[in-house]
Amino acid sequence: MAWWDDALDAVGAVVGAVGDAVETVVDAVVDTVEEVVDTATDWANAGLDRARDAIAAFSPALGAVANLVLGLVKGVVNVVKDIVRIVLDVVRHVGEFVNALLHLNLARMIDALLAIVVNVGEIVVWAVRIVTGGYFAGPVSDYYMRDRHINMIAGMVRAEFGKQEAEDILAKLGFGTAHFRLPIRCNVRVMVADSSTFPFVALHTAGTLDLFALAGLLSFNSFPLFNARTRMVMVDASGADMWWRPVTRPDIKAFISSGGTSARFRCYAVEPYAQGRAMRTAHNKFKKLCIDLDFDRSFNFPTWQTYPTQPCNTPGDFTIAGATAWFAANTTRDSSEGQDARPLSITCFNISGGFRGIVAGRSIRRFVDERNGCRHDSTADACITLVDRSDDDTDGNAGPGGSGVLWRDAYPPWFGRYVMGHELGHYFGLAHAGHDGVENIMFSGPEGNAIVGGGSWRLWSHGEPVFVDADVEHAWRFIVKKLPHVLRAL
């Protein structure tokens, strides 16, 4: 039957190549249209935000009017942005379904169908939010709260630094101007495993990973229904990615049977589209915290972006345990003060314990169960997140420590795009405590938060998870108390 299996694989490879081509074309068109719309609406929203800040700084009375008028305009912009995104998502998932069907990949077919069902639900929610005014209530309420946030931050800075130094810092933050913000530059990396250095075959044989699943192909062993969006490519003799040459089942079967000598594979922990979407989401959400989160690579047109990579050479890199020690051993991060304003975000394959993400170099003090005597709403100095400058974890191997965030792409994709922002929230002092309800970016079920919270109205007013008003205070209390050197270095 070996010849019959080979014949089926050959036919499947040809048909699958057609499916890959269909999905590639669909993705290229959809990504281009979506990026144009996202960029235009981001610019429009940024312009509205600056205009509002400028008017409010000139006259609080006029600012109150601007909050209402510009908030309504922003709501209209977001209405257009969301419906375009949802429709394009449907088209993208149809392309995924066609590709999965031609590959006879039942798991990916189910994934795509579930995603389309969710998109239909999103259209219903979109319509309800328009009719009931949710699209307009969110931006208007955020604008009114922004005045309070800016004044609260100014009060913290003045209380901590004294009059002269505080005024210098506030001037650099843009207090009283059209753009109040703390500028932060985040470095990003995507973990990549190369068969020239990574033991793919040994780990596949041991069941640690599934090469077919990593390549997005049908797997009879793991049946990865809810699989991360990894990207596997073949590598040519010069070491370049053969992005035009899809990896097929015969390729992987030959690779396994040859012990990893028949070809050279390179696998990325996330597709460029998912990486860019997570970066854009974090950037937009951090505006609520009065933080301008920038990156060392653009999230615009992510399909055509090449993101910096982090090598995955060992099983300990593939499934990371002990994030602080791992950062210290595998990156240049040593938790020094000069790195606090430049977080490092690495998109990895797996994290021990099944976590979607984890922060290193931070000791969270506020917990759902009020450990350390700290309630979730406590503002006492003893309850502010600590900065860990060394690896003092419970592994008994205290030593140099590193800082940064790890996150992995995970199903469902509409949730996965918030994980990077969630972990960066931890980096700037935020905790899970007090975030009942999935409408909160800092929500965590395993920490004991309730799935439905008292602030569920935010899903009506914003349509997606957001940072809450209390997060602004806690993040800036952490910045002012624990990262004063960041403000002094502006």
Side-chain angles (χ1 to χ4, degrees):
M1 293 295 293
W3 67 271
W4 180 247
D5 289 340
D6 291 341
L8 287 177
D9 282 342
V11 172
V14 173
V15 175
V18 175
D20 290 335
V22 169
E23 185 173 3
T24 298
V25 171
V26 169
D27 285 348
V29 174
V30 168
D31 289 354
T32 301
V33 176
E34 183 177 53
E35 188 59 40
V36 170
V37 173
D38 281 348
T39 300
T41 53
D42 283 350
W43 285 351
N45 284 331
L48 291 170
D49 292 344
R50 293 200 182 194
R52 191 227 71 93
D53 281 3
I55 295 172
F58 175 76
S59 168
L62 290 177
V65 176
N67 290 342
L68 177 60
V69 175
L70 298 184
L72 293 175
V73 175
K74 191 172 185 178
V76 174
V77 172
N78 291 336
V79 165
V80 175
K81 176 180 180 179
D82 283 356
I83 191 58
V84 172
R85 177 192 60 79
I86 295 170
V87 171
L88 291 176
D89 266 356
V90 172
V91 176
R92 177 183 291 108
H93 295 141
V94 169
E96 292 176 359
F97 179 83
V98 171
N99 190 13
L101 177 63
L102 294 178
H103 276 286
L104 297 180
N105 190 339
L106 181 59
R108 284 198 68 195
M109 289 170 60
I110 296 174
D111 275 356
L113 286 175
L114 288 176
I116 293 172
V117 170
V118 170
N119 290 145
V120 173
E122 286 182 312
I123 292 176
V124 174
V125 172
W126 174 83
V128 170
R129 291 184 64 220
I130 291 177
V131 173
T132 60
Y135 264 104
F136 312 104
V140 171
S141 63
D142 282 347
Y143 277 158
Y144 277 107
M145 288 304 300
R146 181 166 171 81
D147 290 324
R148 177 184 172 188
H149 294 155
I150 292 174
N151 289 327
M152 174 189 65
I153 293 168
M156 287 186 189
V157 172
R158 287 170 176 145
E160 184 69 20
F161 292 96
K163 183 174 177 56
Q164 185 57 54
E165 187 177 18
E167 295 308 318
D168 290 342
I169 291 173
L170 289 174
K172 294 176 182 177
L173 290 172
F175 184 71
T177 73
H179 195 196
F180 179 87
R181 80 287 178 263
L182 172 64
I184 294 295
R185 170 60 66 92
C186 178
N187 298 322
V188 295
R189 297 181 191 172
V190 174
M191 188 166 282
V192 58
D194 193 304
S195 61
S196 65
T197 57
F198 187 74
F200 273 123
V201 174
L203 295 181
H204 176 89
T205 303
T208 304
L209 57 80
D210 187 326
L211 277 167
F212 297 103
L214 288 176
L217 300 171
L218 175 63
S219 170
F220 297 104
N221 295 322
S222 62
F223 195 72
L225 183 56
F226 302 141
N227 200 38
R229 291 166 291 183
T230 53
R231 176 172 175 256
M232 183 175 286
V233 298
M234 295 192 74
V235 182
D236 64 21
S238 68
D241 289 352
M242 300 171 65
W243 56 267
W244 65 91
R245 174 23 171 121
V247 176
T248 66
R249 286 187 61 82
D251 292 331
I252 294 179
K253 291 175 71 173
F255 180 78
I256 295 171
S257 63
S258 69
T261 61
S262 64
R264 181 180 172 186
F265 290 140
R266 188 173 287 146
C267 186
Y268 297 86
V270 68
E271 292 179 350
Y273 169 80
Q275 175 72 23
R277 175 58 61 183
M279 292 164 62
R280 183 190 293 275
T281 300
H283 168 80
N284 289 336
K285 296 303 178 183
F286 260 68
K287 291 181 179 180
K288 172 81 171 186
L289 301 178
C290 299
I291 294 176
D292 261 12
L293 183 65
D294 195 8
F295 298 93
D296 60 343
R297 285 293 190 277
S298 174
F299 49 70
N300 297 112
F301 295 96
T303 301
W304 290 274
Q305 289 286 347
T306 300
Y307 293 103
T309 58
Q310 174 70 32
C312 175
N313 294 326
T314 69
D317 295 331
F318 189 81
T319 302
I320 298 173
T324 301
W326 185 88
F327 266 99
N330 294 278
T331 73
T332 58
R333 306 288 295 189
D334 57 9
S335 290
S336 63
E337 289 188 352
Q339 298 173 345
D340 288 331
R342 295 183 292 108
L344 172 60
S345 171
I346 297 179
T347 312
C348 60
F349 287 100
N350 289 295
I351 301 171
S352 181
F355 295 109
R356 294 178 182 268
I358 193 168
V359 64
R362 298 292 183 267
S363 177
I364 308 298
R365 310 300 291 172
R366 292 178 294 113
F367 295 88
V368 173
D369 60 7
E370 299 182 19
R371 272 172 274 175
N372 304 322
C374 292
R375 286 178 48 83
H376 71 269
D377 55 355
S378 175
T379 58
D381 286 357
C383 296
I384 299 174
T385 293
L386 299 178
V387 179
D388 288 340
R389 301 295 182 191
S390 63
D391 174 24
D392 56 0
D393 292 339
T394 56
D395 57 10
N397 297 311
S403 62
V405 300
L406 295 166
W407 72 281
R408 61 184 180 88
D409 181 59
Y411 191 93
W414 59 89
F415 174 80
R417 68 177 184 266
Y418 299 104
V419 180
M420 174 192 278
H422 174 104
E423 296 308 324
L424 287 170
H426 284 313
Y427 191 88
F428 288 98
L430 299 181
H432 295 145
H435 291 91
D436 288 340
V438 293
E439 71 277 3
N440 296 312
I441 285 184
M442 299 311 298
F443 168 83
S444 174
E447 276 287 324
N449 293 110
I451 294 178
V452 178
S456 297
W457 59 272
R458 292 191 192 92
L459 288 179
W460 166 74
S461 61
H462 292 85
E464 58 184 1
V466 294
F467 288 113
V468 297
D469 296 322
D471 291 337
V472 183
E473 179 176 2
H474 286 300
W476 275 90
R477 197 171 297 279
F478 170 78
I479 292 168
V480 169
K481 293 288 185 179
K482 304 301 180 182
L483 306 179
H485 50 282
V486 171
L487 297 177
R488 289 190 171 106
L490 288 171

